[in-house]
Amino acid sequence: MSVATRIDRRFAALQDEGRAGLVTFVTAGDPDPDTSLAILKALPKAGADVIEIGMPFSDPMADGPAIQASGRRALLAGQTMRRTLSMVRAFREGDDETPIVLMGYYNPIYSYGTETFLVDAKAAGVDGLIVVDLPPEADDELCLPALAHGLNFIRLATPTTDEKRLPRVLLNTSGFVYYVSITGITGTRAPDTTAVTAAVARIKRHTRLPVAVGFGVKTPEQAAAIAAGADAVVVGSALVEEVRGSLDAAGRATDRTVDAVAGLVRRLAAGVRAGRTVAA
């Protein structure tokens, strides 16, 4: 991609500041559309540098129990892809700088219509996509069209991505590389920071892109440890658990919901800022 995106600019700014970034994941429409938008608007002020928005899907095979539950809450509240894009547009009315990445599965995009989705996502203010069930062999399906529309396509690398596979994974990746710090589903185990630091260094031997590390990071202390060897730390399950824990007995948002999420983001951001960024 020849034109710098919001993601490119944000990571360049982080490098200038000499620190790692905080990437926060929330599910669109969880626990309801209005509260979800309020949470989204609160994230940058609380310290989020990049925001990933989960696209709810009925069969989220890579997600752990917390994010699966958040997707169910969103779908039951009537969340659709059109509402997700509308939420991004509403966010952009007050924030034209924070990068937004849509994360999820290909089925909702395919059902929407791939070309229509890419046009609408770009117009709404989306900056990048993470689609976990499209391998590099299917780049013609979505990755290359997304790049043509000016959207970063962010690929996952995992502990099982070996030296032979890694160059293929990185070939059309842009924006940043998302390193999955554990094998298995999201939010179920804590990462091994020593192994993560070594894995990030290995990836950086193959690419100049920033490397963000996620899956299993829940506390400021873990965030600080990961930030010592990565360009960004991704937190998702812990945030959607804050949503769940703030709901009333009927599963509805309370006056604590937005503050609960923002409060954890502030603590995580402080942890990330206490870490040390490895020079790119």
Side-chain angles (χ1 to χ4, degrees), residues 164-256:
K164 181 178 180 181
R165 180 66 173 167
L166 187 57
R168 184 68 184 90
V169 168
L170 296 173
L171 180 60
N172 292 314
T173 300
S174 66
F176 62 93
V177 180
Y178 187 144
Y179 179 66
V180 176
S181 60
I182 59 173
T183 55
I185 57 177
T186 60
T188 54
R189 290 187 287 118
D192 178 336
T193 54
T194 300
V196 167
T197 299
V200 170
R202 181 172 69 88
I203 292 169
K204 282 180 167 291
R205 290 196 290 270
H206 292 265
T207 182
R208 302 180 71 175
L209 290 172
V211 180
V213 176
F215 278 48
V217 180
K218 298 181 179 180
T219 68
E221 293 76 17
Q222 289 173 333
I226 295 296
D231 298 298
V233 180
V234 187
V235 182
S237 295
L239 296 179
V240 301
E241 275 293 276
E242 287 293 320
V243 173
R244 183 194 62 78
S246 74
L247 304 179
D248 65 18
R252 294 174 301 220
T254 67
D255 56 7
R256 304 189 309 275

Side-chain angles (χ1 to χ4, degrees), residues 20 27-28 36 49 101 103 116 118 161 165 168 172 187 203 207 210 260 262:
T27 299
S36 184
D49 296 297
V101 177
M103 183 173 185
T116 303
L118 292 172
T161 306
R165 180 66 173 167
R168 184 68 184 90
N172 292 314
I203 292 169
T207 182

Side-chain angles (χ1 to χ4, degrees), residues 72-85:
R72 286 194 296 271
R73 289 193 297 267
L75 291 172
L76 288 171
Q79 191 70 13
T80 63
M81 183 67 80
R82 292 190 184 280
R83 284 189 171 184
T84 298
L85 295 179

Side-chain angles (χ1 to χ4, degrees), residues 10-255:
R10 178 54 51 92
F11 275 102
L14 290 170
Q15 186 173 29
D16 289 343
E17 293 177 35
R19 68 173 180 89
L22 175 62
V23 182
T24 56
F25 172 97
V26 292
T27 299
D30 177 32
D32 62 74
D34 290 342
T35 305
S36 184
L37 178 58
I39 291 170
L40 187 64
K41 290 180 176 180
L43 293 175
K45 294 178 182 178
D49 296 297
V50 179
I51 299 171
E52 293 177 3
I53 301 176
M55 300 176 285
F57 179 46
S58 58
D59 187 22
M61 61 183 180
D63 294 324
I67 293 178
Q68 285 190 23
S70 73
R72 286 194 296 271
R73 289 193 297 267
L75 291 172
L76 288 171
Q79 191 70 13
T80 63
M81 183 67 80
R82 292 190 184 280
R83 284 189 171 184
T84 298
L85 295 179
S86 293
M87 189 171 80
V88 176
R89 282 194 295 272
F91 175 84
R92 283 284 174 237
E93 291 174 3
D95 188 324
D96 194 44
E97 295 184 358
T98 303
I100 294 286
V101 177
L102 295 186
M103 183 173 185
Y105 302 84
Y106 186 45
N107 185 279
I109 296 172
Y110 181 81
S111 297
Y112 191 98
T114 300
E115 180 65 20
T116 303
F117 168 80
L118 292 172
V119 170
D120 291 354
K122 183 66 176 179
V126 173
D127 301 295
L129 302 174
I130 301 174
V131 182
V132 300
D133 55 347
L134 280 182
E137 289 73 18
D139 275 358
D140 289 345
E141 191 75 29
L142 182 64
C143 173
L144 296 180
L147 295 175
H149 280 273
L151 295 168
N152 288 123
F153 199 87
I154 297 142
R155 190 81 69 189
L156 303 180
T158 75
T160 61
T161 306
D162 61 21
E163 292 293 304
K164 181 178 180 181
R165 180 66 173 167
L166 187 57
R168 184 68 184 90
V169 168
L170 296 173
L171 180 60
N172 292 314
T173 300
S174 66
F176 62 93
V177 180
Y178 187 144
Y179 179 66
V180 176
S181 60
I182 59 173
T183 55
I185 57 177
T186 60
T188 54
R189 290 187 287 118
D192 178 336
T193 54
T194 300
V196 167
T197 299
V200 170
R202 181 172 69 88
I203 292 169
K204 282 180 167 291
R205 290 196 290 270
H206 292 265
T207 182
R208 302 180 71 175
L209 290 172
V211 180
V213 176
F215 278 48
V217 180
K218 298 181 179 180
T219 68
E221 293 76 17
Q222 289 173 333
I226 295 296
D231 298 298
V233 180
V234 187
V235 182
S237 295
L239 296 179
V240 301
E241 275 293 276
E242 287 293 320
V243 173
R244 183 194 62 78
S246 74
L247 304 179
D248 65 18
R252 294 174 301 220
T254 67
D255 56 7

